[in-house]
């Protein structure tokens, strides 16, 4: 009574027979014990069997009944006060206190209990959760901020992906339009090139037309004369002489047929892809076409055909046009000379075949520019300077190349390099053609 608090432990003192001789009593000063606990941040208190706080590290907690209120005769004159309004919540296997109206006890705390049957009390501790809540709020804020950054990053990446997809689509459409334009322009350039090639062939035919007419008139006149003589010889009964005249007529007709065949083939607009072509036959047919011009210009041709065909990849008519253009240019370059000669040689190498044409004219004034369009050394009106440029394009379309240079012996040398036909067994001397004059 009287508000004094203490823990008393009493034990009986017995003799050997077990009779009680007296008692030993020990008193524990609770205030001294509580003084050591007052600096702890946690609220520590012990309740007895009547749910009254008997020991606490906060003086304001003493003599409070956790449940119920009012005086209790068992505690004498000591007033009992109820605990301020609070409630306990079970969360995650732990008891959480929420309290109102008491500034000394935290509003939110973790409540832990431990029964102490030896002293007949229950130990209680309240751990302040404000720091934990603040840290939780801070971590939540950080997690929210991180999540926001992630969301913004994902949104940025999605927007960038959409932008990139739109850009790729625009580029793809632009590339598609560009490819269409390039294809269209390529087709236009191909048609223009074909038209230029055809125009160049017709121009060459126009230049040779007078000589071709003369070349056809001669055998026609001879055929008429031989025919009239054959009639007379038959009337006289000279059968042997008549047969000779008929043989001459047949030969002249075959000659006319060859000339017309070459003219028709040369004038035809060739648009077929590269095939296997006999380069020897190309040179022979071209020389036959140019024979009249060469004879009228007093040009000697040095050409000895190989004993066997030389097969290359190309087009017969277009290669004919290149060779004719080279012969015509050489003839024009030697205009005014007393001695005019052209050498044509076939050179057979490993994996390549070369056709060389050399003249004894003045040579090339600027070998680096000869294949440029509209470059010409002829008098204005005698040519547009497209012949060698067209020839360069023709040879290149067959996978070959053509070059021009000046010969140490004088004159110009043009070399046309072509790819042998697949499986071709080209035979012939390494130096190609000989030096026999036609």
């Amino acid at each position: 009574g009287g508000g004094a608090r203490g823990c008393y432990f009493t034990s009986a003192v017995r003799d050997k027979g077990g009779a009680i001789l007296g008692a030993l009593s020990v008193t524990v000063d609770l205030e001294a014990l509580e003084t050591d606990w007052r600096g702890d941040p946690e609220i520590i208190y012990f309740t007895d069997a009547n749910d009254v706080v008997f020991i606490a590290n906060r003086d304001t907690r003493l003599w409070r009944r956790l449940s119920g209120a009012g005086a209790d005769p068992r505690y004498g004159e000591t007033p009992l006060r109820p605990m301020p309004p609070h409630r306990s919540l079970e969360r995650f296997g732990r008891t959480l206190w929420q309290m109102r109206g008491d500034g000394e006890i935290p509003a939110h705390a973790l409540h832990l209990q431990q029964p102490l049957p030896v002293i007949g009390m229950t130990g209680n501790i309240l751990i302040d959760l404000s720091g934990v809540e603040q840290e939780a709020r801070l971590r939540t804020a950080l997690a929210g901020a991180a999540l926001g950054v992630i969301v913004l990053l994902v949104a940025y990446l999605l927007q960038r992906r959409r932008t990139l997809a739109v850009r790729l689509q625009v580029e793809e459409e632009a590339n598609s339009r560009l490819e269409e334009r390039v294809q269209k322009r390529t087709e236009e350039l191909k048609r223009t090139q074909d038209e230029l090639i055809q125009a160049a062939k017709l121009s060459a035919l126009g230049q040779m037309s007078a000589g071709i007419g003369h070349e056809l008139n001669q055998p026609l006149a001879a055929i008429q004369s031989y025919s009239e003589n054959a009639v007379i010889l038959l009337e006289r009964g000279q059968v042997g002489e008549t047969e000779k005249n008929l043989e001459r007529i047949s030969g002249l007709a075959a000659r006319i047929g060859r000339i017309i065949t070459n003219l028709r083939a040369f004038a035809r607009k060739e648009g077929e892809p590269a095939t296997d072509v006999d380069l020897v036959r190309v040179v022979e047919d071209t020389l036959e076409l140019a024979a009249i011009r060469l004879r009228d210009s007093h040009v000697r041709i040095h050409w000895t055909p190989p004993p066997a065909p030389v097969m290359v990849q190309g087009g017969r008519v277009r290669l004919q046009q290149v060779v004719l253009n080279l012969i015509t240019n050489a003839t024009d370059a030697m205009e005014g000379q007393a001695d005019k000669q052209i050498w044509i040689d076939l050179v057979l190498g490993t994996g390549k075949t070369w056709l060389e044409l050399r003249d004894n004219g003045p040579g090339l004034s600027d070998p680096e520019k000869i294949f440029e369009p509209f470059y010409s050394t002829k008098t204005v009106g005698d040519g547009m300077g497209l012949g060698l440029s067209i020839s360069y394009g023709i040879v290149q379309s067959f996978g070959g190349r053509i070059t021009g240079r000046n010969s140490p012996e004088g004159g110009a040398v043009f070399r046309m390099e072509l790819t042998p036909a697949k499986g071709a067994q080209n035979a012939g001397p390494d130096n190609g053609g000989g030096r026999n004059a036609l």
Side-chain angles (χ1 to χ4, degrees):
R5 291 180 302 120
C7 287
Y8 302 92
F9 300 93
T10 302
S11 178
V13 179
R14 302 177 184 273
D15 60 11
K16 294 181 180 180
I20 297 176
L21 299 178
L24 179 63
S25 179
V26 178
T27 302
V28 178
D29 187 359
L30 295 180
E31 290 186 1
L33 179 63
E34 291 171 340
T35 301
D36 295 335
W37 293 348
R38 295 190 195 282
D40 294 341
E42 297 84 5
I43 307 297
I44 302 173
Y45 60 92
F46 294 83
T47 58
D48 59 14
N50 299 311
D51 210 15
V52 175
V53 178
F54 188 69
I55 304 173
N57 64 349
R58 302 289 191 273
D59 291 341
T60 57
R61 302 300 100 198
L62 292 173
W63 307 115
R64 288 183 179 269
R65 175 170 286 177
L66 299 183
S67 61
D72 192 324
R74 290 173 293 183
Y75 295 92
E77 298 178 355
T78 301
L80 298 179
R81 295 170 295 167
M83 185 70 73
H86 69 277
R87 62 174 178 162
S88 298
L89 303 175
E90 294 294 330
R91 292 288 187 272
F92 310 108
R94 293 289 186 269
T95 302
L96 303 180
W97 270 33
Q98 291 184 349
M99 186 168 294
R100 301 188 307 277
D102 193 334
E104 188 176 17
I105 295 180
H108 296 87
L110 176 64
H111 180 211
L112 301 178
Q113 285 184 327
Q114 179 63 47
L116 302 173
V118 175
I119 62 175
M121 293 188 182
T122 300
N124 296 267
I125 184 170
L126 296 176
I127 301 174
D128 191 359
L129 296 179
S130 59
V132 176
E133 291 177 345
Q134 184 177 1
E135 184 178 358
R137 284 193 295 270
L138 177 61
R139 292 190 178 186
T140 301
L142 290 176
L147 181 60
V149 171
I150 294 174
V151 170
L152 291 177
L153 180 60
V154 171
Y156 168 74
L157 293 176
L158 291 176
Q159 180 63 31
R160 184 176 180 181
R161 181 178 179 182
R162 285 193 294 268
T163 303
L164 182 60
V166 172
R167 182 183 301 174
L168 290 176
Q169 183 178 1
V170 171
E171 290 181 356
E172 185 177 356
E173 292 175 356
N175 289 335
S176 178
R177 289 195 298 269
L178 180 60
E179 289 178 1
E180 291 177 0
R181 292 178 62 185
V182 169
Q183 184 177 2
K184 184 177 179 181
R185 292 298 175 87
T186 303
E187 292 175 356
E188 291 177 357
L189 289 175
K190 182 66 171 58
R191 287 195 298 270
T192 303
Q193 184 184 35
D194 293 341
E195 291 173 359
L196 285 174
I197 292 174
Q198 187 67 13
K201 289 195 293 185
L202 296 178
S203 175
L205 286 175
Q207 294 176 0
M208 295 186 297
S209 59
I212 292 172
H214 178 70
E215 188 72 10
L216 292 176
N217 284 333
Q218 279 187 335
L220 286 174
I223 287 173
Q224 183 178 5
S225 176
Y226 284 134
S227 299
E228 294 173 352
N229 290 337
V231 173
I232 297 173
L233 292 173
L234 282 176
E235 291 176 352
R236 294 177 180 177
Q238 297 177 351
V239 178
E241 294 296 328
T242 302
E243 290 178 352
K244 292 180 181 179
N245 278 7
L246 293 176
E247 290 176 357
R248 294 189 185 100
I249 291 172
S250 177
L252 292 170
R255 180 182 175 187
I256 293 174
R258 286 197 308 274
I259 294 174
I260 294 175
T261 300
N262 285 335
L263 288 174
R264 289 177 61 186
F266 186 76
R268 187 174 67 249
K269 188 173 184 179
E270 185 183 58
E272 297 298 324
T275 57
D276 295 345
V277 178
D278 182 6
L279 192 56
V280 178
R281 177 69 182 276
V282 169
V283 176
E284 294 284 340
D285 290 344
T286 306
L287 290 175
E288 190 168 1
L289 281 174
I292 303 168
R293 170 78 187 278
L294 294 172
R295 187 171 61 247
D296 292 344
S297 299
H298 307 288
V299 178
R300 286 190 297 163
I301 298 293
H302 302 275
W303 158 252
T304 301
V310 177
M311 306 303 295
V312 296
Q313 294 182 13
R316 177 167 169 261
V317 176
R318 281 176 284 179
L319 287 177
Q320 239 182 319
Q321 183 176 355
V322 175
V323 177
L324 180 62
N325 185 51
L326 295 178
I327 293 174
T328 303
N329 285 351
T331 302
D332 293 340
M334 294 184 293
E335 186 70 29
Q337 290 184 197
D339 180 27
K340 305 173 185 179
Q341 300 184 66
I342 295 176
W343 289 266
I344 301 176
D345 297 324
L346 265 175
V347 182
L348 308 180
T350 303
K352 291 293 179 183
T353 298
W354 293 274
L355 177 67
E356 283 191 351
L357 189 145
R358 179 173 66 89
D359 61 55
N360 62 339
L364 304 172
S365 59
D366 195 348
E368 300 297 328
K369 294 184 177 180
I370 55 176
F371 295 110
E372 294 181 3
F374 306 108
Y375 175 79
S376 177
T377 57
K378 298 179 182 179
T379 305
V380 176
D382 290 342
M384 297 179 62
L386 292 174
L388 287 177
S389 177
I390 291 174
S391 299
Y392 183 89
I394 291 174
V395 176
Q396 194 177 46
S397 68
F398 298 143
R401 66 190 187 104
I402 184 171
T403 58
R405 58 182 175 83
N406 289 316
S407 172
E409 301 174 7
V413 179
F414 285 89
R415 168 175 279 201
M416 183 167 55
E417 179 181 318
L418 297 170
T419 303
K422 294 181 180 179
Q425 299 294 328
N426 295 334
D430 291 339
N431 62 349
R435 293 289 183 265
N436 295 330
L438 296 179

